[in-house]
Amino acid sequence: MAEQTAPADIRTTEGAPPEHGAAVDKTDAAVVRDALGVGIAVGLSGFAFGVTSAGSGLTVLQTCALSLLVFTGASQFALVGALAAGGNPLTAAAGAFFLGVRNAFYGLRLSQLLALPRAVRPFAAHWVIDETSAVSLAQPTRRSARIGFTVTGLSLYVLWNLTTLVGALGAEAIGDTDAWGIDAAGPAVFLALLAPMLKSATERMVAGLAVVLGLGLLPVLPAGVPVLVAALAAPAVLYIQGRRQADTSITSTSTSTSTSKSTSQSTSTSTSQGADR
């Protein structure tokens, strides 16, 4: 994570004023409890990835290496999904890469918030994912943010890799995962992780357009490419919203100017009539 100057609204001691209305007296135990809840809940879904990856043709070693070295569920599922559909490995890797780019933006914010020692940053950067970012940014002080980041990252990393191994071994034991319908586990977990994040109308529009693009282009483009095209949903929606806001602003300005001119003309007419009298 890049070195940044600490923000003014994050204090280094407990009892500091809360950020965005968070509880002032949040104890370390409460932070650990919340972080473990996230780490355990999401970490268990590593089983679904292990099953999906092994069912897609990857070996147990390859599956475990992905969880150990990549450690970002969305990119991992996208990669094995594209490979399972017969996609080019480079195209599959590109889709996984673009999905993981968001973690770089998380890192920029967390580097300010956590202000970790330089020697620790390379290791901490590996844990910069959706869950650790959400837990850390929800804390009122730097101390609690560090605790939340560490506990969430450690519990999730350990459990994700353990359940990946169990899932991969289980998939090899049962053979054809498609026959058991387990191939649907990966997309189902992905949707379960994504759904709570779609809180605003913009986010829902982006998700809906991405689904339309992904499913609509699946029959006509090589495997893995529809995922890349679906990523364009975000800039497309933001562009349309920007145009609408610009049009609304121009209309409001024109209306205000016309009203001002009418008022000025009315005042001038009244003054002239008064002078004639």
Side-chain angles (χ1 to χ4, degrees):
M1 290 181 288
E3 184 177 6
Q4 302 285 346
T5 303
D9 57 345
I10 297 295
R11 304 294 181 85
T12 57
T13 58
E14 282 189 325
E19 184 178 28
H20 305 308
V24 175
D25 57 348
K26 191 169 187 178
T27 64
D28 292 351
V31 178
V32 171
R33 180 197 60 210
D34 294 344
L36 282 176
V38 174
I40 294 173
V42 181
L44 292 175
S45 60
F47 178 82
F49 171 72
V51 172
T52 304
S53 180
S56 302
L58 273 68
T59 66
V60 174
L61 181 60
Q62 291 171 332
T63 299
C64 291
L66 276 176
S67 283
L68 284 168
L69 302 177
V70 178
F71 187 53
T72 175
S75 296
Q76 293 179 230
F77 276 114
L79 178 65
V80 300
L83 292 176
N88 183 289
L90 292 178
T91 305
F97 171 79
F98 281 114
L99 282 173
V101 165
R102 70 189 188 285
N103 295 328
F105 295 98
Y106 295 156
L108 293 175
R109 181 67 180 96
L110 289 180
S111 66
Q112 299 176 343
L113 177 63
L114 301 176
L116 295 173
R118 188 181 298 275
V120 179
R121 291 175 189 171
F123 303 98
H126 195 49
W127 287 354
V128 175
I129 54 177
D130 297 334
E131 292 77 11
T132 53
S133 301
V135 172
S136 301
L137 294 173
Q139 306 309 318
T141 66
R142 173 165 295 151
R143 173 184 170 81
S144 58
R146 286 177 171 176
I147 294 173
F149 178 84
T150 303
V151 175
T152 304
L154 180 62
S155 60
L156 183 50
Y157 188 74
V158 171
L159 197 56
W160 176 268
N161 281 282
L162 286 177
T163 53
T164 293
L165 175 61
V166 173
L169 292 175
E172 282 202 342
I174 64 176
D176 186 6
T177 55
D178 291 355
W180 293 79
I182 299 178
D183 56 313
V189 171
F190 197 13
L191 288 175
L193 293 173
L194 178 64
M197 302 179 186
L198 304 179
K199 297 178 180 178
S200 69
T202 301
E203 292 164 349
R204 289 190 287 270
M205 288 174 61
V206 170
L209 181 58
V211 169
V212 171
L213 289 174
L215 294 180
L217 297 175
L218 193 60
V220 296
L221 292 179
V225 177
V227 174
L228 298 177
V229 178
L232 298 176
V237 170
L238 292 176
Y239 174 76
I240 293 172
Q241 282 198 333
R243 290 293 301 269
R244 286 181 176 175
Q245 290 177 352
D247 293 342
T248 303
S249 178
I250 292 173
T251 303
S252 299
T253 302
S254 300
T255 304
S256 176
T257 303
S258 299
T259 304
S260 177
K261 286 182 177 178
S262 299
T263 304
S264 177
Q265 290 175 351
S266 176
T267 304
S268 177
T269 302
S270 299
T271 303
S272 176
Q273 290 175 347
D276 292 340
R277 284 195 293 270

